């Protein structure tokens, strides 16, 4: 393991355009359950499968049930960044990291100090009225039971990409450019199971591809360096 860590340290030290592509595993050490592990969100029991509840058609048809699930399972305002988040923010300040491309919606990268964060699936911290566009904070969603409504009467929707919704094209394009221009791509805390987001990593043409994940990913055989361990533990030691 130490040999692998030393190799990654050398690559980071020599890089000036690192891109980090991360998923739910980056936030599990901050107390946020991931979506697909044995103990994750998708293995708990509800009246409807989580994939159904988190779809746009379900949101439109059953907003009350959607928000009940959303408040209970997707909002974690008490969560704090972990060593992985802080290390990435440090690399950005040093001019080594060009962007964080994240599938997470928790805002922990920004809380740690990262500025160049591309949120593929949106953020729970942003919410807007579907009728007039007025913005609302997370606290409004938390404190207004049942269906949160704007002063105009419209339903307030979190800025989170649901199943059946397309990714933001501007964010997707920016992430594509960043990965294609990176000299070091670090994939961490993701099983690379969610598309189209996971397909972005195949745009990488740089020097070194590193995968840090506890479970296997489709990119393991392509990686120049594979570390099957905790992303927070690994980045925290660099």
């Amino acid at each position: 393991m130490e040999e692998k860590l030393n190799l990654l340290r050398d690559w980071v030290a020599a890089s000036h355009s690192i891109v980090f592509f991360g998923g739910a595993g980056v936030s599990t050490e901050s107390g946020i359950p991931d979506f697909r592990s044995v103990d994750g969100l998708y293995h708990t029991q509800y009246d409807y499968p989580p994939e159904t509840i988190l779809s746009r058609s379900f949101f439109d048809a059953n907003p009350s049930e959607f928000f009940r699930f959303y408040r209970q399972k997707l909002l974690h305002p008490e969560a704090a960044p972990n060593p992985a988040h802080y290390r990435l923010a440090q690399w950005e300040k040093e001019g080594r990291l060009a962007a964080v491309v994240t599938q997470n919606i928790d805002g922990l990268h920004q809380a740690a100090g990262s500025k160049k964060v591309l949120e593929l699936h949106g953020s729970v911290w942003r919410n807007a009225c579907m009728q007039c566009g007025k913005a609302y904070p997370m606290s409004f969603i938390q404190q207004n039971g049942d269906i949160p409504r704007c002063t105009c009467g419209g339903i307030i929707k979190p800025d989170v990409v649901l199943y059946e919704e397309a990714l933001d094209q501007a964010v997707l394009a920016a992430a594509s450019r960043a990965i294609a221009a990176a000299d070091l791509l670090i994939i961490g805390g993701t099983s690379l199971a969610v598309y189209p987001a996971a397909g972005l990593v195949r745009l990488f043409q740089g020097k070194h591809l590193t995968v840090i994940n506890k479970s296997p990913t489709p990119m393991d055989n392509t990686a120049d360096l594979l570390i099957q361990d905790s992303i927070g533990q690994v980045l925290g030691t660099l």
Side-chain angles (χ1 to χ4, degrees), residues 198-221:
L200 291 173
V201 299
R202 299 190 180 277
L203 297 174
F204 178 65
Q205 302 175 41
K207 295 179 180 179
H208 304 297
L209 172 62
T210 298
V211 174
I212 306 170
N213 200 53
K214 290 182 178 179
S215 59
T217 82
M219 297 298 288
D220 289 0
N221 292 333

Side-chain angles (χ1 to χ4, degrees), residues 66-77:
F66 169 88
F67 278 107
R68 185 174 73 86
F69 177 90
Y70 181 80
R71 291 187 184 97
Q72 291 176 354
K73 299 301 178 183
L74 271 69
L75 297 184
H76 302 276

